[in-house]
Amino acid sequence: MKHDIRTFISYIQLIKGLSKNYFILVILSALVQTAQPFVNIIMLRFIIDELTVYKVASQLIMYISIMVIGNLVIGLLDRLMARSLELKNHLLMADIELQLGKKIMDVHFKYLEDAKVLNLREQVMFFINNKMTIVGLLNRFIQSVVGLIGFLIIVVTMNVYILLLVVAVVIFNSYIYKKMKNREFEHEQNQVLFNRKWSYYIGLAINFFTAKDIRLYNISPFIMNKTKKYHEDAITANDKITHYKGKSYGLSSLAIQIQNAVIVAYAAYRVFKQNITIGQFTMYISSANLLSNHLTELTRSVIEFRQMCKHIDNFITFNRIPEPDKDGNRIFPNDLKLEFKNVSFSYNDDSSLVLKNVSIILQMGEKLAIVGPNGAGKTTFIKLLCRLYKPQAGEILLGGKNIQTYDYEEYMKLLSVVFQDYKLLPFSIRENLDNESQRSDDAMEEVLKQVGLFEKIQEIPKRLNTSIYKTLDSSGIELSGGQYQKLVIARNILKDAPILILDEPTSSLDPYAEAEIYQHFNVLAKGRTTIYISHRMSSCTFCDKVAVFDQGEIVEYGTHQELLNKKKVYAGMWHAQATYYN
Ligand code: ADP
């Protein structure tokens, strides 16, 4: 319970941070909603008594007027509050979702490949989409407390045993409800894994990126079978929980009917005995009913609150996933010499090392080519340099200081990276080239010329404002793989960062386009420290140094000519590729 209260406080703080007067509105709205039945029950009692016993017309008119005006005012206030609460609720949900999205963008990259974190994200999304009960819950809680006090007083004046009967039925029903909610929570948690797999399979089916493979390899029946199996499992699980819930609600309803029958019988007995008036009879019965409802609501909202705490816990745990260091050093030395010093790294702490004791120095402005077979650790080397992961041993230094000591965002400004699996967004060419809108059209056109895309873009009516892909804009363009890659290279030239990293930048370019990029290599890399990973050995000729990676180690290092003269690994790779051209 202590833990739940702490969780609830954290959540309230989160909501308060997003919307300040939200809770005041919730409380006012609950008070207004409680007032309505109260006014009606009490006024109805006086009206019936006037009609059956006292029969004074002026009094009757007064009671009816109070009831009507009271209802009108309360109804109006209620609608007004409900409207602004609904609006606030939508905004809040959107803000929470946005906060989650921002968190996913900000967390340390390594966590995004961790299955535990992926499941947690699903659980949090589930909570956001289905469990945003905080408004209803607080509302119900406050309403039931206020109503409880009022109706309790009325019922006690009737008979204390009736009060005890109501309490006993509520306790019985709460017990059933709690059991049912626990089962429901368990069910929802189990659904999370299912949902993740289900979304993946459905994504495969509807995603255009996989459309070609699905057709060529006839993967469709395989995906359909997998999806069907998951669907069947989910339906079976849903069946079970629905059946269980049906039974629980039935039992609760039976207990309430028995309680109501006893109360009506007792009140009727008192009317026969002429202990109470007909007006009091209706007031007592309605009050006992509402007391029972409010007590039930109160216990249920407490149970649901505790249930919700588990979901909120997930949310809070997710929010606590570490983000890269943001308050590091923002001042960089003039000499941006890069150094890997005995760096070792493995993706999972328990698995074998992907980089083993790697040491290399890259002077400022120097151009390094990295070659080696697939899986040698070349991209991992770059990922460490980009601080997507931290090495388990050794250090990476920039200007003599560990790269982890620099402010993350400032550090990233120093790097221009073209990954093999680069991503462009379905926005305009202009936004893709410079999402911070800092560069002029002239500067953009200049880099487009450098990568050989200028003419192509000039031909399109909207030019730089043309959207890429048709995802968000039906007039968007589809380019060839090579053209997309040129655009990515252009984006990186424009960034004008002092360190340029090209990981297989020409892999989807045709020989002409590749030659074009090679011709412009000196322009691309001018004055920048450059790391160039490529399977095209010819790219090594225009780099100052070459490092040959194999099984996580640098097995050869030197100039192109030195390594050729060595006649070992590099020379072997060079000649192997050259064979096909001779
Ligand atoms: P290269 O770029 O030289 O082809 P990589 O650096 O991509 O090689 O990969 C080196 C090794 O690390 C490979 O064995 C690869 O399977 C493994 N690896 C790459 N990325 C991950 C990851 N996210 N999780 C676990 N292992 C990975």
Side-chain angles (χ1 to χ4, degrees), residues 30-43 45 142-160 162-163 166-167 263 282-297:
L31 285 173
V32 169
Q33 280 179 24
T34 317
Q36 196 151 29
F38 217 74
V39 168
N40 284 340
I41 286 175
I42 293 180
M43 284 302 122
R45 175 228 154 139
I142 293 166
Q143 246 188 62
S144 41
V145 171
V146 176
L148 194 72
I149 298 167
F151 297 119
L152 193 85
I153 295 168
I154 299 177
V155 171
V156 169
T157 60
M158 175 164 69
N159 185 317
V160 177
I162 293 291
L163 175 68
V166 171
V167 171
I263 293 171
T282 55
M283 182 180 77
Y284 283 141
I285 293 196
S286 309
S287 301
N289 227 318
L290 283 167
L291 176 71
S292 158
N293 287 351
H294 283 300
L295 253 176
T296 308
E297 273 306 302

Side-chain angles (χ1 to χ4, degrees), residues 109 113 347-348 351 354-355 372-381 383 389 420 503 533 535 549:
F109 183 79
E113 293 182 338
Y347 280 98
N348 311 307
S351 72
V354 172
L355 288 182
N374 286 332
K378 304 182 295 292
T379 300
T380 307
F381 177 85
K383 284 185 186 164
Y389 296 91
Q420 289 171 47
D503 186 353
I533 300 183
H535 286 305
F549 275 60

Side-chain angles (χ1 to χ4, degrees), residues 11 15 18-23 25-26 29 80-98 127-139 308:
Y11 186 62
I15 305 264
L18 293 172
S19 172
K20 282 207 173 62
N21 48 14
Y22 185 71
F23 283 105
L25 200 65
V26 170
S29 157
L80 277 175
M81 286 190 192
R83 230 187 66 194
S84 48
L85 206 60
E86 203 178 305
L87 194 72
K88 275 215 175 318
N89 201 19
H90 279 300
L91 287 174
L92 202 68
M93 298 249 269
D95 280 349
I96 289 182
E97 219 162 330
L98 212 63
F127 160 64
I128 285 179
N129 293 333
N130 302 286
K131 291 283 148 193
M132 198 56 197
T133 49
I134 183 77
V135 188
L137 208 58
L138 228 117
N139 216 339
M308 198 179 63

Side-chain angles (χ1 to χ4, degrees), residues 131 133 137 140 169-185 241 244-245 247-249 251-253 295-307:
K131 291 283 148 193
T133 49
L137 208 58
R140 278 162 55 198
V169 170
V170 167
I171 292 174
F172 174 72
N173 281 347
S174 302
Y175 170 74
I176 292 180
Y177 190 69
K178 188 172 176 202
K179 263 180 68 174
M180 188 184 78
K181 280 281 153 188
N182 283 344
R183 277 280 281 269
E184 201 177 40
F185 181 77
I241 188 79
Y244 183 80
K245 278 165 83 171
K247 259 179 26 194
S248 305
Y249 279 126
L251 211 60
S252 285
S253 156
L295 253 176
T296 308
E297 273 306 302
L298 184 68
T299 49
R300 283 188 181 183
S301 51
V302 171
I303 293 168
E304 278 176 41
F305 151 64
R306 298 195 65 182
Q307 204 82 60

